[in-house]
Amino acid sequence: MFYRFIRVVARFLIFIINGNTHYENKAALPKGPYVLVGPHRTWWDPIFFAVAGSPRRYGFMAKEELFHNPILRWILVHANAFGVNRANPGPSVIKTPVKMIKNQDLSIIVFPSGTRYSNQLKGGAILIAKLARVPLVPAVYQGPVRFSQLFLRKRVTVRFGEPIAVPGGRLTEDQTQAIGDQMQAAFDAIDHAIDPNFTYVPDQKKYELEKKAGKLK
């Protein structure tokens, strides 16, 4: 109930703040659960993804520091978020989303790069999809990367790609790499479909801060 309420609030705020948001190729979304994957470009792109994929409900990962505040913790938990220690992720980073998919009929939003300033695809999303026996669905956010620019009503586009099947059984490193390459190719193709001239330029100051903190590999 709370998730549906907060999504309505998010949709209203997006309209008030930006009012120039477009959701494309929703026909590609499976009817059942899936793992939604995309390049992490802003702190708010999971909100846009969750609104774009409505009426399906999503769970998502959030850094565990956000759960230290009791009020924010309550909101996050009731919005289907779970905490992750990004420096030392444990088994729960895989087990928790798999259980959410199987037991709660949720789809999961995962950013394979793990950070807004990295292009390195990680295998966690693939493993979650394999264990939950659901496909990966690539998605891309194109739009402002600074929050203040949203108020300028610059166009925001969220576009979905075709599902990527993940085979069951044990995956070799070559198979995992091939699926990772397929994800990256899907992101590139979606970016091109939205705007052939698009180039992602991250916030340089925040990039340097994450790099200094050792969060980039």
Side-chain angles (χ1 to χ4, degrees):
M1 180 66 72
F2 178 80
Y3 179 90
R4 291 186 175 89
F5 167 75
I6 201 68
R7 185 166 58 189
V8 170
V9 172
R11 189 186 298 276
F12 175 74
L13 290 176
I14 288 172
F15 175 76
I16 294 297
I17 292 171
N18 179 260
N20 189 17
T21 307
H22 306 265
Y23 307 128
E24 299 180 351
N25 200 30
K26 287 190 64 171
L29 295 176
K31 293 183 178 179
Y34 50 85
V35 177
L36 185 69
V37 290
H40 201 5
R41 292 172 174 168
T42 75
W43 63 259
W44 57 85
D45 47 21
I47 299 173
F48 278 85
F49 285 162
V51 171
S54 176
R56 172 150 291 279
R57 296 181 302 125
Y58 294 89
F60 61 96
M61 303 178 184
K63 59 183 180 180
E64 64 177 11
E65 293 87 345
L66 297 176
F67 290 79
H68 295 169
N69 181 297
I71 298 176
L72 186 55
R73 176 186 176 86
W74 188 92
I75 294 173
L76 289 170
V77 169
H78 286 81
N80 302 325
F82 60 96
V84 174
N85 184 327
R86 294 194 296 178
N88 297 291
S92 63
V93 75
I94 300 297
K95 292 181 179 180
T96 299
V98 170
K99 289 180 180 178
M100 293 173 78
I101 293 171
K102 289 185 174 182
N103 300 335
Q104 301 179 46
D105 194 37
L106 296 176
S107 290
I108 301 293
I109 298 174
V110 179
F111 297 100
S113 62
T115 169
R116 300 198 296 275
Y117 311 106
S118 172
N119 289 322
Q120 180 183 2
L121 292 176
K122 299 180 179 180
I126 298 171
L127 183 56
I128 293 169
K130 183 183 82 72
L131 294 176
R133 298 181 180 180
V134 297
L136 297 163
V137 175
V140 160
Y141 165 96
Q142 269 193 31
V145 295
R146 291 186 179 181
F147 188 69
S148 59
Q149 294 176 332
L150 286 175
F151 290 88
L152 300 179
R153 295 188 175 269
K154 293 185 177 182
R155 181 184 175 98
V156 172
T157 302
V158 173
R159 184 178 177 89
F160 300 102
E162 298 302 316
I164 299 172
V166 178
R170 184 178 179 83
L171 293 178
T172 66
E173 289 187 12
D174 288 344
Q175 287 176 310
T176 301
Q177 182 62 50
I179 297 172
D181 292 343
Q182 192 175 355
M183 274 197 287
Q184 185 60 60
F187 299 155
D188 294 341
I190 296 169
D191 268 329
H192 189 271
I194 298 172
D195 179 2
N197 300 314
F198 173 79
T199 301
Y200 171 57
V201 180
D203 186 313
Q204 188 64 27
K205 184 177 180 180
K206 291 184 178 179
Y207 168 80
E208 294 296 337
L209 287 174
E210 287 217 2
K211 186 175 181 180
K212 186 177 181 179
K215 296 178 181 179
L216 299 180
K217 301 292 185 180

